Structures are given as structure tokens and as C-alpha cells.
Amino acid sequence: MNATAGQNVPPPETADTDRPILPEGLFAELRADPLHAPEHLALEAVRRTGPVARAWVAQWRSPRATPRWQARQIQKRFTWHARYSGAAGGVLGLPGAVADVAVLSWTQARMIVHLAAAYGFDPCDRERAAEILLLTGVYDALHLAETAVKVAARRAPAAELLKHGGGGSVSEVAARLAVMVGMKLGKRALLRAVPLLSVPLAAMGNAGSTKKLARKAIGMYEHKAAGRAAITHQ
């Protein structure tokens, strides 16, 4: 299937996952190990989204469908998801501000996986999880993010921890995930108290932060791709 600029762009997710909500059971699993909630979310994004991102990018193998063009389509799609994530998050049955943070974190992590695939990096590689943590500001150095991912991955699966009585509060998980989206929970909760303003302001905030993150991720992957190409041609 060839791509040309101006054609309608299909969603970068399948029908089952192309919605701005958390996968069923994911938040409960994050509660099993709230200290490493960002790491578990990043690993899960790679596991669930990696194969879908790889297939989506493969659809657009064409000279005109450059990595940058694909990246722009991904940015647009996930910015749309982020804009509406607040309303969709309500179906989780969590407090509004907490739902917004969780869904936005998941949306942005999936976006990064797709952007990596667009620039030719394996979206199923665990290294993508470390890059999610770096790009979202959970860690300020890649080696720290890589170490954190290894620590989280070596632990028992979060679902198993939950079965054996482990688990933190919803607020503990939300506080950890808020770091990923640069959000202050107090400010988010305050917006929720102003019904006429909360939806549009939350939508604009989500979209703005997602666009900014996309630009940061695109810059990083373009730089990595250029470095890889230089080594290849030596």
C-alpha cells in the first residue's frame, strides 16, 4: 500500500486499541508497584503497541512517505487522542484528575513507540521503554532510564504482585504518572471544579503537551537516525 501526501491517513492503531483509554486492567497492575508505575507503563506500551506500530509503518513504504512525513501523521493522530483523553478517561471510574493523568501518560507513551518505528528503530525493543522515560522527563539521562527499566522488568509481573497483596493507592500511582506528563495534580483537580472551563482547558493542555513531546521525540530520533546512517556509510 503506497502513501502519498494528502491522502487520508489511517489511524496508527488497530480498531481494538485506537481509543484514548487505558487497556483494561492496566491501572490495577500499576497499583501493584506504584513506585515503578512509569517504568511498567513504558514497558507495557512497548509490549502492546510495538507490533501495531511496526505494522502501521510498514503500510507506508514509499519514497514519498518519509520518516518525517510519517512522524507528522503520528503527531497529529496522538494529539487528537490527547485532546479527548480527559473525557474518555472518565470511563475508568477513577477520579477525573487521576484518569486524565493516566490516560494522557498512556497516549504519549504509545506515540513515542510509533515515532521510533517511523525512524526505523525497533518499536518492540525494550530500549524504547527507556526512551519513553527519558523523553517524558522521568529520568534526565538515558543510562538511568535503562537501569530503571531493567529493575522494573526483573521484578515479578505487576499483576502477580497485586494477587499477593501488594499495591499502593490510586493517588500514589497518579503522582508517579504525573511526572511523565509534567502535570501538577492539584492544578488538574482545580480545573475539574470549574465545569465550564475544565473540558476546554484540559483539552488544550493535553494537546499542547503532546505536541511539545512529539517535537522533542522527533528531534531525538532524527538525530539517532542520522548518526546510524553516518556509521553505516563509513
Side-chain angles (χ1 to χ4, degrees):
M1 180 170 161
N2 292 332
T4 57
Q7 284 185 320
N8 291 330
V9 179
E13 293 281 7
T14 63
D16 290 338
T17 56
D18 189 28
R19 296 171 295 169
I21 61 174
L22 288 181
E24 184 178 356
L26 178 57
F27 198 87
E29 293 183 8
L30 298 181
R31 286 187 62 190
D33 186 15
L35 181 63
H36 298 98
E39 289 87 338
H40 288 303
L41 184 142
L43 283 165
E44 194 67 4
V46 171
R47 187 183 75 81
R48 290 176 182 254
T49 308
V52 178
R54 177 186 286 158
W56 184 82
V57 169
Q59 293 183 80
W60 298 105
R61 295 195 185 284
S62 161
R64 297 188 65 178
T66 64
R68 179 171 291 186
W69 182 88
Q70 291 185 26
R72 295 306 179 194
Q73 312 317 309
I74 293 166
Q75 177 182 338
K76 290 176 185 177
R77 186 68 187 185
F78 282 97
T79 296
W80 181 90
H81 281 327
R83 183 174 288 113
Y84 292 100
S85 65
V91 303
L92 296 172
L94 302 172
V98 175
D100 288 355
V101 171
V103 176
L104 184 58
S105 299
W106 180 246
T107 297
Q108 293 184 349
R110 290 188 301 135
M111 178 183 71
I112 291 171
V113 173
H114 278 81
L115 290 172
Y119 282 94
F121 297 97
D122 184 358
C124 299
D125 192 307
R126 188 180 293 174
E127 186 177 352
R128 305 291 82 78
E131 291 166 354
I132 290 170
L133 298 175
L134 176 67
L135 287 164
T136 55
V138 178
Y139 295 96
D140 58 8
L142 184 60
H143 72 277
L144 296 177
E146 290 171 339
T147 299
V149 166
K150 289 177 182 177
V151 170
R154 280 200 298 265
R155 294 175 60 85
E160 288 299 315
L161 293 173
L162 196 60
K163 288 178 184 177
H164 296 290
S169 68
V170 168
S171 60
E172 287 176 318
V173 178
R176 291 290 293 154
L177 295 182
V179 176
M180 296 185 74
V181 293
M183 185 184 296
K184 295 186 182 298
L185 289 180
K187 180 179 179 181
R188 198 61 154 191
L190 182 61
L191 284 177
R192 282 277 174 173
V194 188
L196 293 178
L197 293 178
S198 62
V199 172
L201 288 179
M204 288 192 306
N206 285 2
S209 68
T210 303
K211 285 182 182 178
K212 182 177 180 180
L213 178 61
R215 289 194 294 267
K216 183 177 180 181
I218 290 170
M220 186 188 80
Y221 286 123
E222 285 188 343
H223 180 74
K224 285 171 65 74
R228 182 178 59 186
I231 293 174
T232 300
H233 288 93
Q234 283 181 351

